[in-house]
Amino acid sequence: MRILSMQPKGFRCCAKNVGIKDTTLDFTVIASDVPAAAAAMFTQNRFCGPAITVGREHVSNGRLQAFVINSKNANVATGEEGLANVRELVGLVAEELNIESEDVLPSSTGVIGRQLPMEKLRQGIAGSGQQLQYGHLEQAARAIMTTDTYPKMHCCRIGNATLVGIAKGVGMIEPNMATMLAYFLTDASVDPEQLRVCLKEAVEPSFNMVSVDSDTSTSDTVAIMANGLAGEVNLADFRQALQDMCLRLARELARDGEGASKLIEVTVEHALNAQQAKRVAKSIVNSPLVKTAIFGSDPNWGRIAMAIGKCYEQDTIVPEKIDIAFGCIPVYHRGLAVDEGHLSALKNYLDHDEIAIHVSLGLGEEQARVWGCDLTYDYVKINGTYTS
Amino acid sequence: MRILSMQPKGFRCCAKNVGIKDTTLDFTVIASDVPAAAAAMFTQNRFCGPAITVGREHVSNGRLQAFVINSKNANVATGEEGLANVRELVGLVAEELNIESEDVLPSSTGVIGRQLPMEKLRQGIAGSGQQLQYGHLEQAARAIMTTDTYPKMHCCRIGNATLVGIAKGVGMIEPNMATMLAYFLTDASVDPEQLRVCLKEAVEPSFNMVSVDSDTSTSDTVAIMANGLAGEVNLADFRQALQDMCLRLARELARDGEGASKLIEVTVEHALNAQQAKRVAKSIVNSPLVKTAIFGSDPNWGRIAMAIGKCYEQDTIVPEKIDIAFGCIPVYHRGLAVDEGHLSALKNYLDHDEIAIHVSLGLGEEQARVWGCDLTYDYVKINGTYTS
């Protein structure tokens, strides 16, 4: 039994192509050798898929032993048949792994409105129990990809334990309560209720602060299993490690947003409350006019002002108290444009591939930070032909 | 004195280039021979420009005699100097026309964050009183354009009176309470309070239902002058005519949305209330994934389901009660995708330049209809280089 240095103990996986759409990896099973404490969060989209329904049921007792995930088909808007299909898949995987069906959390991502190709999936599941291998998580990170350009995976140590996380995006991304798909595995021993709290705390300032295109997926899932094989860890260290990893993966989702050429980070400070800060920051990062200006390195900072101002319901917002800067370059100061001499510096700054926008509302002490990406020709190209 | 057949009596205008950005028309004055009953609605954007501030003041008594409008510079985020500049311009125009300053409504549209080139505007205003001509409104419609590809103007008769409307879009367009810029002139005699009510009624189902890019301008203004020179008209006829014209102009703004190749009309029916219907319809018409799929004629209707479902706060929405159709082609029926045989018909339908999406929520009796446009390479191009 070979354990890669930076992989948690007792997790095996297999990733394969079962032919759902093409010949790339489209199916993965990740299993713990023993039942694990578990927590998960799911999309708030009201058209959520049956995998979400089953996942909610199965994680409700705080215990899981396997994730089974397919890409290339979201199994959404597929009615009773879609739900029966998920239950069958979960049962087949449980049988293969000789574990309880209720300990399997399923996910599907891809096109909406088509039934899963069950015969291909049944054939793919057959024998997968024997194919599980320790390590190999990068293959799993690859198998869950749709339009991602590279697999997203991070590892870290917490005392004697290891935490690993994988995630995929990168279109239909404005998560609410969870992101597209992200999975965490650890061999730390953590109580299920603590795990649930840690996950919730980590997701809000990370995945829930990402928006690639303001569209919230029907399949968002973030889930964690802690199998305890490395024993107890300091809980504060674990919380911090999970938060840091969520943040790193969330930034990567934004950076790899469909067609993106630049990462945009918006920080809104001195808001009256955290909700106001998030509302304004999301308004900026989601504005197609802001996103296209950044793509074109056009120093049209007035669009930031527009995006702040269109948060009508924030009736405490007053232009005369607001500051706007790109990186360290101030462009607007409490009612007035800063000297236009800054525009050439701004134009140079906009040629970078990470653009930081800072806004102070001048009202209070709260802040929010969100991540997104520019809107490019490639976003239009990718999404004009997704199913064609 | 020559009056064009379909122009209201007693309105003159001049449109010219004063050199704000390039050599295209960028300045227009529209004046009534006599003081007119007037009403106006403005953007709710909290970064609104000083022209909005002055316009609100001047229309508050229900009387106006002239509109003065410049394009190519929005005069927004320009502080006290920007406000003083508007007051000076309005005063100069009033002097030229020998009318009261308080009877002039100013508007500015264009780039945000730059002071108006006052010397050029002063020179442009000088002599404009002499240059006013009856008719010539199409030139005014042209002078208020920014990225519009053609001037938008409609006329109709109401009894002995005439109503004419001009409007411009076409980016930063998700109006709230008014649209980018639209002006109506009539020689009907209408009481100012009635005029205000008629305008409000007409704007909500038309301009407020348009979204080109979900970005709400800082300069939205819709204003009407009724100078009474054609006498009384049937008020019900006038209301209907104004509503029809707002609707036609609103559709045109959507069709001519920046970079648009297709008009999208979304109708949401059987909603619990009008607010829910509008919320869901806007969610669909604003979804970048829906917009790009329509651009690419990709029959990826699942994105409509996603856009309905992401209205989380509408907790009455249930997929099993929902129907979705494109034109007459049903794609989703109460929980299930309609037979995939429809996909080729759908693909053909998507090649049209007007795409109608029908959604029934299956909950109640209310409905909403909104208009938008597809998201194309040209939108990215236009907005990546707007000020550069």
Side-chain angles (χ1 to χ4, degrees), chain B residues 72-153:
Chain B
K72 316 294 195 280
N73 184 322
N75 186 25
V76 167
T78 48
E80 289 302 314
E81 184 181 344
L83 181 60
N85 284 342
V86 176
R87 294 204 190 280
E88 182 189 339
L89 289 183
V90 160
L92 291 172
V93 169
E95 217 169 287
E96 266 293 315
L97 272 53
N98 200 19
I99 63 177
E100 300 293 319
S101 287
E102 291 68 29
D103 289 344
V104 178
L105 181 133
S107 303
S108 296
T109 177
V111 65
I112 293 171
R114 299 189 188 164
Q115 297 293 345
L116 289 171
M118 288 301 289
E119 200 41 47
K120 291 176 178 174
L121 282 158
R122 287 185 200 108
Q123 287 177 18
I125 291 168
S128 59
Q130 296 303 317
Q131 293 154 359
L132 291 174
Q133 292 190 275
Y134 293 101
H136 274 247
L137 267 172
E138 205 198 310
Q139 287 299 88
R142 203 173 284 279
I144 63 176
M145 288 165 48
T146 47
T147 51
D148 302 65
T149 65
Y150 65 95
K152 290 147 194 85
M153 177 169 164

Side-chain angles (χ1 to χ4, degrees), chain A residues 64-360:
Chain A
L64 289 174
Q65 198 165 349
F67 301 143
V68 52
I69 311 152
N70 74 274
S71 56
K72 315 294 196 278
N73 183 321
N75 187 27
V76 168
T78 49
E80 288 302 315
E81 185 181 344
L83 181 60
N85 284 342
V86 176
R87 294 205 190 277
E88 182 189 337
L89 289 182
V90 160
L92 290 172
V93 169
E95 217 169 285
E96 266 292 315
L97 273 51
N98 200 22
I99 63 176
E100 301 293 320
S101 287
E102 291 68 28
D103 289 344
V104 178
L105 181 135
S107 304
S108 296
T109 176
V111 64
I112 293 172
R114 299 189 188 163
Q115 296 294 343
L116 289 171
M118 288 302 288
E119 200 40 47
K120 291 176 178 174
L121 282 159
R122 286 185 199 107
Q123 286 176 20
I125 292 169
S128 61
Q130 296 302 317
Q131 294 155 358
L132 292 174
Q133 292 190 277
Y134 293 102
H136 274 246
L137 266 173
E138 204 198 310
Q139 286 300 89
R142 203 174 284 280
I144 63 177
M145 286 165 49
T146 48
T147 49
D148 301 66
T149 65
Y150 65 94
K152 288 146 195 86
M153 177 168 162
H154 286 285
C155 311
C156 73
R157 299 285 292 178
I158 310 150
N160 291 324
T162 301
L163 172 67
V164 61
I166 62 173
K168 61 83 62 179
V170 282
M172 207 177 276
I173 299 286
E174 183 171 9
N176 189 299
M177 299 311 290
T179 191
M180 194 67 180
L181 296 180
Y183 303 92
F184 296 90
L185 307 172
T186 181
D187 45 15
S189 171
V190 186
D191 167 79
E193 176 55 21
Q194 287 175 331
L195 202 59
R196 198 186 61 74
V197 172
C198 288
L199 187 65
K200 194 164 189 300
E201 270 183 6
V203 163
E204 180 56 27
S206 58
F207 297 117
N208 281 1
M209 292 301 186
V210 169
S211 180
V212 165
D213 52 15
S214 78
D215 277 340
T216 305
S217 165
T218 51
S219 308
D220 295 340
T221 296
V222 52
I224 183 166
M225 286 197 280
N227 68 11
L229 293 181
E232 304 259 326
V233 293
N234 178 299
L235 189 67
D237 290 349
F238 179 79
R239 280 172 56 179
Q240 191 60 52
L242 186 61
Q243 285 185 22
D244 289 350
M245 198 173 287
C246 284
L247 217 55
R248 279 205 296 269
L249 286 167
R251 274 178 64 99
E252 277 193 290
L253 292 185
R255 169 176 283 293
D256 197 28
E258 283 180 340
S261 72
K262 299 179 188 178
L263 174 73
I264 305 175
E265 178 180 279
V266 180
T267 308
V268 172
E269 295 174 306
H270 303 117
L272 271 189
N273 52 57
Q275 187 196 5
Q276 181 183 56
K278 181 177 177 180
R279 170 74 179 94
V280 172
K282 281 280 187 88
S283 176
I284 295 169
V285 89
N286 276 331
S287 159
L289 290 171
V290 171
K291 288 158 72 86
T292 46
I294 287 174
F295 167 60
S297 298
D298 185 359
N300 194 352
W301 61 266
R303 291 176 175 174
I304 309 289
M306 174 281 298
I308 299 167
K310 78 173 181 168
C311 303
Y312 325 111
E313 71 287 5
Q314 302 297 326
D315 60 5
T316 48
I317 289 179
V318 185
E320 286 68 27
K321 295 184 177 177
I322 290 174
D323 280 271
I324 304 173
F326 281 75
C328 301
I329 306 166
V331 293
Y332 178 84
H333 177 64
R334 305 191 180 182
L336 261 184
V338 174
D339 178 14
E340 291 200 5
H342 286 70
L343 282 185
S344 67
L346 178 54
K347 201 156 163 52
N348 289 338
Y349 177 73
L350 289 171
D351 285 332
H352 293 121
D353 64 359
E354 291 197 18
I355 305 299
I357 298 170
H358 297 279
V359 171
S360 164

Side-chain angles (χ1 to χ4, degrees), chain B residues 168-212:
Chain B
K168 62 82 63 180
V170 282
M172 206 175 277
I173 298 288
E174 183 171 9
N176 188 298
M177 301 310 291
T179 190
M180 196 67 179
L181 296 181
Y183 303 92
F184 297 91
L185 306 172
T186 181
D187 46 13
S189 171
V190 186
D191 167 81
E193 177 55 22
Q194 286 175 332
L195 201 60
R196 198 186 62 74
V197 171
C198 288
L199 186 65
K200 194 165 191 297
E201 269 182 8
V203 164
E204 180 56 27
S206 58
F207 296 117
N208 280 0
M209 292 300 185
V210 168
S211 180
V212 165

